[in-house]
Amino acid sequence: MTDAIYPGSFDPVTNGHLDLIDRGSRLFSRLIVAVARNVDKAPLFSAEERVAMLQEQVAGRFANVEVTSFAGLIVEYARQRGVHCLLRGLRTIADFEYEFQMALTNRRLAPDIETVFVMPSLRYSYVSARLIRETVLLGADMSHLIPASVQAKLRARLGTAREGKGGGAS
Ligand code: ADP
């Protein structure tokens, strides 16, 4: 059994991410969930908020899961941590091309680090944080796809964003 890092933006954490964390925690001796600080898509939640939401979900549930954040190249962070495996999720064929390019780019940068792909349960295979943000913004109840406390934070944040923008949300 080896350790692995599960990197992502987690903006915010969904049940799909948690499904992957559950599977990863059983595959690896230690799973480090690493929130990317430098995402090019301006995140809705700060890195600290994304880490806190993940921590709340994993606390008391997975003994071998750590939640943290990183900036810069994931392979550099993995080397710093002495970890040789990255975990990523593959939902549908649409994920494949991007993940394929990223895995091979990371392999070129760090041949000693492998990317492992895991598929979530079918019921989460269409869930994306972006769609959750959009549907919650439009008033949908998505509590079957995200933790209740995350939905509450999302509603509060999007409500604030709406007020701040005088009714027009982006
Ligand atoms: P990124 O911006 O790095 O793609 P995400 O937070 O969107 O960050 O996703 C992080 C990882 O989790 C990616 O490998 C993605 O494929 C995976 N992932 C996202 N949503 C799901 C889901 N519903 N089921 C399984 N894996 C998922």
Side-chain angles (χ1 to χ4, degrees):
M1 289 262 275
T2 184
D3 294 357
I5 296 181
Y6 176 29
S9 36
F10 305 102
D11 187 35
V13 56
T14 68
N15 288 352
H17 295 131
L18 293 171
D19 178 290
L20 226 71
I21 291 172
D22 180 35
R23 290 169 202 280
S25 74
R26 288 182 275 118
L27 272 175
F28 301 103
S29 43
R30 182 166 188 77
L31 184 66
I32 301 167
V33 181
V35 170
R37 289 188 163 270
N38 48 348
V39 273
D40 46 13
K41 11 175 174 169
L44 186 61
F45 293 100
S46 71
E48 288 70 26
E49 289 170 323
R50 288 176 276 148
V51 166
M53 282 187 271
L54 275 158
Q55 259 160 358
E56 191 186 325
Q57 295 307 315
V58 306
R61 197 164 151 201
F62 307 105
N64 62 340
V65 174
E66 171 192 336
V67 182
T68 185
S69 66
F70 73 100
L73 290 171
I74 187 58
V75 290
E76 286 302 327
Y77 181 67
R79 277 186 175 144
Q80 263 173 40
R81 298 290 310 252
V83 174
H84 296 272
C85 188
L86 301 177
L87 172 67
R88 294 285 289 178
L90 268 189
R91 287 164 289 190
T92 62
I93 197 75
D95 274 345
F96 181 77
E97 194 166 348
Y98 173 67
E99 293 292 341
F100 177 81
Q101 289 176 354
M102 194 159 60
L104 292 188
T105 302
N106 283 334
R107 178 179 284 166
R108 176 55 74 93
L109 294 170
D112 53 323
I113 296 177
E114 284 298 336
T115 305
V116 170
F117 294 99
V118 168
M119 282 176 276
S121 160
L122 195 56
R123 66 183 190 277
Y124 299 132
S125 61
Y126 66 97
V127 180
S128 78
R130 181 180 59 81
L131 270 176
I132 296 277
R133 292 193 303 269
E134 289 175 7
T135 48
V136 170
L137 174 67
L138 297 172
D141 176 8
M142 301 305 277
S143 54
H144 52 304
L145 299 178
I146 46 171
S149 64
V150 172
Q151 176 157 281
K153 288 189 177 72
L154 199 47
R155 282 182 168 157
R157 178 58 49 93
L158 293 169
T160 310
R162 267 205 302 272
E163 279 161 27
K165 291 194 172 107
S170 57

